[in-house]
Amino acid sequence: MQPPVKYTLRIFWQKKGNSKYVSHLDTQRAVVRALIRSGLPLYYSQGFNPHPKLVFALPVSIFQEALYDVFDIDITERISPKRAAEMLGAVMPGDTPVIGAAYPVKKFKELYAASYLISLDTDLKAAEVEKALRGEVVVEKKSKKKCEMTDISPMIYGVSAVDTDRGVILKATLSAAPDAYLNPKYLVDFLGDKVRFSETVREMLFDKEMQPLK
Amino acid sequence: MNTERIKHLLAKVEKPGRYTGGEYGELIKDKNTVDVRMAFCFPDTYEIGMSNLGVKILRHCLNSLPYVWCERAYAPWDDMEREMRKEGVPLYALESGDDLKDMDILAFTLQYELAYTNMVNMLDLSGIPMLAADRGEEYPLVIAGGPCAYNPEPVADFVDVFSIGEGEFALCELVALYRECKQLGKTKEQFLREAAKLKGMYVPSLYTVSYKEDGTIAAFTPKYEDVPAVIEKTFLTDMDSAPFPTEHELSFIEAVHDRMVLEVFRGCIRGCRFCQAGMVYRPVREKSPDTLNAQAKALYKSTGYNEISMCSLSISDYSGLGEALEKLLGWTEKERVNLSLPSMRIDSFYAELMEKAMNVRQSGLTFAPEAGTQRLRDVINKNISEDEIMAGCAAAFDGGRSSLKLYFMNGLPTETNDDIRGIAGLAQRIVDLYYSKKRSKGKGGVSVTISVSCFVPKPFTPFQWMPQDRIDELKRKQLLLKECITTRKISYNYHDSEVSFLEAVFARGDRRLSAAIAEAVRRGQRFDSWDEFFDYGKWMQIFEDTGIDPEFYANRTMGFDEILPWDHIDCGVTKEFLIREAKAAIAERTTPDCRTRCSACGMQDKGCTVCKKGGKE
């Protein structure tokens, strides 16, 4: 019944504004509906309950924004990425715009790092934040199985901070490899009670050559 | 909306996406170009409110007026409410983020009695006085409608205007009048006097109620001559041309009903004697299969949902069901869209449907015999025999089903222990039927779930005069039924009788209950329909402290000659008809459905196209 051919198309999009309050699961369902609305020639899984194929590179956590986010979909015709981006872009929710599409160059497992902009509402100075995060950073880190004190400094590739009139803006590049993803919230956790509030924007996803993931 | 001022709150609450708006399809208007700012307020959570089709339809009507912007508001969950009160953030509308207290009109939908405290609490959380009498010109007009508005009295003190019946056109008329009065600089009082003259609009402050010594109503009188003594409901006459939104906002957060909803018809031909919806939504008005199909296609295109749920009372009574399914299945299968039907009567039709549309997905099979014996089914006028139930179950088992759910009620008028035992007996015979069919396709064993609610007498039903069983008696009956079930193939669950008691108090309540509701909100009661918030002990204390005897409302047999709290509302069905039906119930006599014979319910001269006029009388 299904055409045997399928092509994987990569969609570049943003998750910003109020969409940061939406969990990944809810985002996924919203994207599936948008895919259906778009009229793209979707490839459906061959099963009892057919559904469009949709794989996210690295979903941001709820409360975090992403300016360069990526998901792959499967389609049955090799249509122009520009056209696909237009079709999907026209029907995505306002705070989750499509910024481009392309046939994938790299695999998701080649994902290596991500850069973040974290606004900290704090009395700490930029220098203090930098100093703290450039040493040993031991936090209580949750994994699927356990929760233990871990030094995450090997997963911090770079931090820099600047003072602003409202606190500190922290720029961080963190590991985003499939087996060593570091959620930026651990940096904020580490700084502790001195941070009253924080807002995190993921700016970019990088491959092993530190090039934007294409 | 701009969420900057609440970002600290959102960081602390569950599912913050409920409080930010910004969904796909959200309607933004330029607030400087509209004359009337409204918020449609749903007195329960976002997930429930976003699923409500009535709200979508009415907002669609209101927003099609170029001078109106009607936004949305829902009851925040208690974690969010706590944060809002702590930080002094009043309740706001989801599109603009503007405070509800700055709107012109707040429209509440009253879907169930236990949401009354939520409505009042939403006013309080908005910084708006709860009581209509305390609200000056600076506050929004508070209007309400929906099924519970058929007995508006328990919440009469909080609401300025009730819209009785279907509001598609009536609400627009009311809003047009509001705009006119606003432009002419008229006062709220002047507006309300005008509003009371519109069909279907009830302004409770324009009436006085006096009571007899025994607590019943002595008189219910308009304060002025030009205020109607009886308020007639408004309703649409043609469903094919009725306004229906084929585009609407799509919840980001998973809503309770996250799918396309197609309203198939309004009204019901059946006349079950406990059922308020079956009475107040008369007459039956159907959409044509072509209209349904066109609306479904448009909805699919604008939403991307992969499921269509067909919605009506007693769907198998839809005369175009076969044709509509055929038309829908003509494209839904290809598009991988599932169709689902609501619970159906178990009758021969069901077997037919199973053959015709095997691809119609039913989200579990649910049947509603309501009573366990033929005698009691005759009393409630559930015109279905055990043979028909068995035939329906047989068809379901033949179709490969091995689990079904049956709905019953406890505490129905005239119910005896035999009727209770009859529920267990019927369930057992269904289990036996499954095992008697050697070629049952279902794998593993059979599972029959019986779900038993407690009878709540509702206004505008033949049972409106009948008492609810006392809580102890309901509990005894629930236990008796439990003892009658001897197999694990039958699972049994039942409603909390204390919750049903409170429902009955409000359902048949009068104006004096407003005091208890206000006090309940002051003491922190809300979300009464949620287990985690319902507090029977607290409610009993509130009734005691406000001088209200709840049993007067729930457990009393009301007299046919008594002035009932809702007698000034005309829902179309006449009191004479309801009395005839009540007497027939006691005599264990059934009344045929409207297609078989007209029973002169009162709608026969008001646009009912089902009956042959004047049948019985």
Side-chain angles (χ1 to χ4, degrees):
Chain A
M1 251 183 33
Q2 283 288 343
V5 288
K6 61 174 176 181
Y7 306 94
T8 297
L9 182 68
R10 183 156 295 174
I11 306 290
F12 303 94
W13 64 297
Q14 296 181 323
K15 187 169 186 280
K16 57 183 189 178
N18 288 345
S19 72
K20 72 176 169 191
Y21 297 112
V22 179
S23 71
H24 175 58
L25 202 66
D26 286 330
T27 306
Q28 245 177 328
R29 292 181 315 103
V31 170
V32 168
R33 289 197 299 259
L35 287 170
I36 293 171
R37 289 193 296 269
S38 72
L40 285 166
L42 301 174
Y43 177 89
Y44 278 80
S45 65
Q46 315 282 307
F48 183 69
N49 186 16
H51 52 273
K53 184 89 176 294
L54 175 66
V55 184
F56 288 77
L58 183 66
V60 282
S61 298
I62 188 165
F63 299 122
Q64 297 175 7
E65 294 177 79
L67 300 182
Y68 184 91
D69 213 341
V70 184
F71 60 75
D72 285 355
I73 59 172
D74 284 352
I75 50 178
T76 58
E77 291 165 42
R78 203 176 157 87
I79 60 171
S80 105
K82 188 166 173 285
R83 175 91 189 99
E86 280 166 9
M87 288 170 77
L88 185 58
V91 293
M92 283 284 274
D95 286 336
T96 56
V98 170
I99 53 174
Y103 287 96
V105 180
K106 299 276 168 121
K107 293 203 164 87
F108 284 163
K109 65 180 183 196
E110 291 176 68
L111 195 60
Y112 175 72
S115 61
Y116 300 88
L117 209 59
I118 308 171
S119 316
L120 303 172
D121 176 0
T122 179
D123 296 330
L124 290 170
K125 292 291 156 210
E128 295 173 280
V129 171
E130 279 181 2
K131 187 168 176 252
L133 294 173
R134 281 175 184 165
E136 201 177 60
V137 181
V138 178
V139 294
E140 197 175 43
K141 190 169 187 299
K142 271 188 224 155
S143 68
K144 275 178 189 145
K145 283 180 195 149
K146 53 193 173 180
C147 184
E148 57 185 2
M149 300 307 284
T150 316
D151 177 15
I152 56 171
S153 59
M155 290 191 274
I156 302 175
Y157 298 150
V159 286
S160 65
V162 288
D163 288 310
T164 69
D165 49 354
R166 302 170 108 194
V168 170
I169 289 184
L170 170 66
K171 290 185 86 157
T173 304
L174 309 178
S175 169
D179 55 347
Y181 167 63
L182 180 63
N183 192 319
K185 81 182 179 75
Y186 289 113
L187 271 54
V188 181
D189 285 355
F190 180 71
L191 295 170
D193 292 344
K194 284 173 186 154
V195 176
R196 288 179 291 267
F197 194 71
S198 69
E199 287 171 280
T200 300
V201 179
R202 193 177 73 198
E203 292 191 301
M204 187 48 73
L205 292 173
F206 297 104
D207 61 20
K208 284 171 183 152
E209 286 79 44
M210 284 309 279
Q211 295 299 312
L213 185 80
K214 292 281 189 195
Chain B
M1 64 176 275
N2 184 338
T3 49
E4 186 62 22
R5 77 164 169 167
I6 52 166
K7 66 180 185 186
H8 294 89
L9 286 63
L10 293 173
K12 293 181 196 162
V13 301
E14 265 180 65
K15 296 195 216 167
R18 296 183 280 190
Y19 309 116
T20 64
E23 304 90 339
Y24 179 78
E26 175 188 58
L27 181 81
I28 303 290
K29 288 194 182 186
D30 177 358
K31 54 181 152 189
N32 300 312
T33 65
V34 297
D35 301 331
V36 183
R37 296 282 306 273
M38 288 184 74
F40 219 104
C41 305
F42 195 95
D44 212 313
T45 62
Y46 175 88
E47 296 93 310
I48 296 175
M50 280 292 281
S51 306
N52 189 280
L53 180 63
V55 172
K56 287 187 185 118
I57 293 174
L58 293 175
R59 286 189 55 242
H60 165 73
C61 294
L62 291 162
N63 280 318
S64 63
L65 300 173
Y67 57 84
V68 177
W69 185 16
C70 182
E71 308 181 47
R72 295 165 295 148
Y74 304 91
W77 194 239
D78 81 317
D79 56 352
M80 183 64 174
E81 181 185 340
R82 245 188 339 261
E83 294 299 323
M84 290 170 75
R85 289 192 186 274
K86 199 167 81 190
E87 302 295 328
V89 174
L91 195 56
Y92 52 87
L94 287 186
E95 281 82 356
S96 63
D98 291 341
D99 294 348
L100 292 189
K101 67 170 183 294
D102 296 330
M103 298 283 157
D104 293 302
I105 303 176
L106 302 181
F108 283 91
T109 175
L110 302 173
Q111 298 286 322
Y112 25 85
E113 294 85 358
L114 296 188
Y116 289 166
T117 50
N118 277 6
M119 172 181 79
V120 178
N121 189 47
M122 282 172 80
L123 290 176
D124 188 56
L125 189 57
S126 304
I128 297 171
M130 298 176 189
L131 297 172
D134 295 342
R135 292 195 293 265
E137 301 286 336
E138 69 273 36
Y139 292 106
L141 185 78
V142 176
I143 65 176
C148 286
Y150 282 99
N151 176 19
E153 293 307 289
V155 283
D157 287 358
F158 310 109
V159 175
D160 296 309
V161 187
F162 288 95
S163 164
I164 311 296
E166 297 168 2
E168 280 93 339
F169 299 119
L171 267 186
C172 292
E173 259 182 59
L174 181 74
V175 173
L177 176 70
Y178 177 90
R179 180 200 193 204
E180 193 189 309
C181 289
K182 189 181 168 188
Q183 284 167 346
L184 293 173
K186 291 192 178 175
T187 63
K188 188 185 274 188
E189 204 187 326
Q190 287 171 317
F191 163 75
L192 290 175
R193 280 290 285 282
E194 294 292 315
K197 292 177 199 159
L198 294 178
K199 196 179 172 197
M201 293 301 155
Y202 168 52
V203 180
S205 61
L206 298 180
Y207 299 80
T208 47
V209 197
S210 56
Y211 301 93
K212 295 180 184 167
E213 222 158 85
D214 65 3
T216 59
I217 294 172
F220 188 95
T221 3
K223 287 180 183 167
Y224 308 96
E225 266 185 11
D226 61 348
V227 174
V230 171
I231 299 93
E232 249 183 276
K233 79 164 178 191
T234 55
F235 61 96
L236 305 184
T237 48
D238 176 38
M239 288 306 290
D240 282 327
S241 62
F244 187 78
T246 49
E247 280 178 29
H248 53 77
E249 46 289 288
L250 304 182
S251 173
F252 249 134
I253 307 296
E254 188 163 21
V256 178
H257 300 296
D258 221 8
R259 58 185 89 104
M260 294 172 258
V261 182
L262 268 192
E263 186 186 20
V264 179
F265 67 96
R266 290 186 190 171
C268 184
I269 61 167
R270 294 286 158 181
C272 300
R273 290 172 180 142
F274 55 83
C275 179
Q276 188 189 45
M279 298 292 162
V280 300
Y281 294 142
R282 291 180 180 210
V284 168
R285 290 146 295 157
E286 298 185 335
K287 280 185 190 170
S288 70
D290 282 327
T291 301
L292 286 179
N293 194 38
Q295 290 176 346
K297 279 183 180 167
L299 267 176
Y300 175 62
K301 217 171 156 218
S302 77
T303 64
Y305 277 128
N306 64 1
E307 185 174 352
I308 299 173
S309 156
M310 297 175 78
C311 161
S312 76
L313 300 165
S314 191
I315 188 116
S316 51
D317 289 329
Y318 174 45
S319 60
L321 188 55
E323 190 189 339
L325 286 175
E326 217 163 287
K327 287 196 151 87
L328 289 166
L329 290 166
W331 59 273
T332 54
E333 280 182 81
K334 199 173 79 232
E335 298 285 342
R336 301 171 184 85
V337 171
N338 294 307
L339 278 180
S340 71
L341 297 172
S343 81
M344 304 191 62
R345 287 175 53 82
I346 320 173
D347 51 25
S348 52
F349 180 84
Y350 179 71
E352 213 179 295
L353 182 75
M354 293 289 288
E355 269 174 44
K356 201 182 280 178
M358 284 298 287
N359 290 312
V360 176
R361 186 165 77 169
Q362 286 216 308
S363 35
L365 278 182
T366 53
F367 298 134
E370 306 293 357
T373 61
Q374 196 57 48
R375 186 200 70 79
L376 193 53
R377 281 196 295 274
D378 289 347
V379 168
I380 64 175
N381 205 38
K382 191 88 195 181
N383 285 337
I384 187 168
S385 69
E386 176 147 342
D387 285 349
E388 286 171 307
I389 295 174
M390 287 305 180
C393 292
F397 293 149
D398 288 341
R401 298 291 180 147
S402 61
S403 72
L404 29 105
K405 192 169 182 180
L406 301 168
Y407 288 108
F408 294 96
M409 247 185 261
N410 258 172
L412 285 162
T414 78
E415 186 183 53
T416 65
N417 288 349
D418 285 342
D419 297 311
I420 307 282
R421 291 188 197 102
I423 296 174
L426 178 60
Q428 184 63 52
R429 285 191 292 282
I430 292 171
V431 170
D432 296 344
L433 172 76
Y434 179 85
Y435 288 107
S436 74
K437 297 176 85 69
K438 282 186 184 133
R439 278 172 296 165
S440 284
K441 288 178 198 159
K443 292 185 184 110
V446 65
S447 142
V448 175
T449 301
I450 51 182
S451 181
V452 186
S453 64
C454 306
F455 166 68
V456 177
K458 296 270 179 163
F460 298 109
T461 65
F463 288 167
Q464 65 180 354
W465 296 278
M466 315 282 186
Q468 185 180 53
D469 274 348
R470 283 171 202 283
I471 290 172
D472 289 348
E473 176 67 356
L474 286 169
K475 285 185 175 164
R476 183 191 70 80
K477 287 175 172 176
Q478 289 169 341
L479 204 67
L480 172 63
L481 178 51
K482 195 173 180 183
E483 284 163 2
C484 294
I485 296 166
T486 51
T487 165
R488 289 184 155 196
K489 307 285 179 200
I490 302 173
S491 46
Y492 166 45
N493 52 59
Y494 51 88
H495 285 199
D496 184 340
S497 53
E498 292 170 348
V499 173
S500 304
F501 173 71
L502 192 63
E503 240 177 270
V505 172
F506 289 142
R508 299 203 299 174
D510 58 34
R511 269 184 197 202
R512 290 169 292 190
L513 284 174
S514 288
I517 293 169
E519 184 57 24
V521 171
R522 282 183 214 112
R523 294 188 193 177
Q525 278 311 109
R526 61 215 54 175
F527 287 112
D528 291 302
S529 59
W530 294 75
D531 286 347
E532 51 267 68
F533 292 104
F534 179 74
D535 189 333
Y536 177 73
K538 230 169 146 184
W539 267 107
M540 290 309 108
Q541 189 62 50
I542 289 161
F543 286 133
E544 202 185 316
D545 296 347
T546 49
I548 283 163
D549 170 17
E551 297 191 354
F552 174 79
Y553 300 103
N555 305 123
R556 188 169 63 92
T557 302
M558 298 182 173
F560 287 148
D561 54 353
E562 195 178 317
I563 298 178
L564 301 173
W566 51 92
D567 269 357
H568 54 288
I569 304 291
D570 175 4
C571 78
V573 166
T574 61
K575 200 166 185 178
E576 294 70 46
F577 168 72
L578 296 177
I579 290 175
R580 280 204 306 276
E581 281 294 289
K583 288 178 176 165
I586 301 304
E588 299 177 11
R589 211 170 57 233
T590 61
T591 297
D593 70 72
C594 301
R595 282 203 183 111
T596 306
R597 196 186 72 199
C598 174
S599 300
C601 67
M603 294 311 291
Q604 70 275 15
D605 300 319
K606 293 183 181 165
C608 179
T609 54
V610 173
C611 55
K612 293 167 199 81
K613 275 191 179 183
K616 186 185 170 187
E617 291 298 272

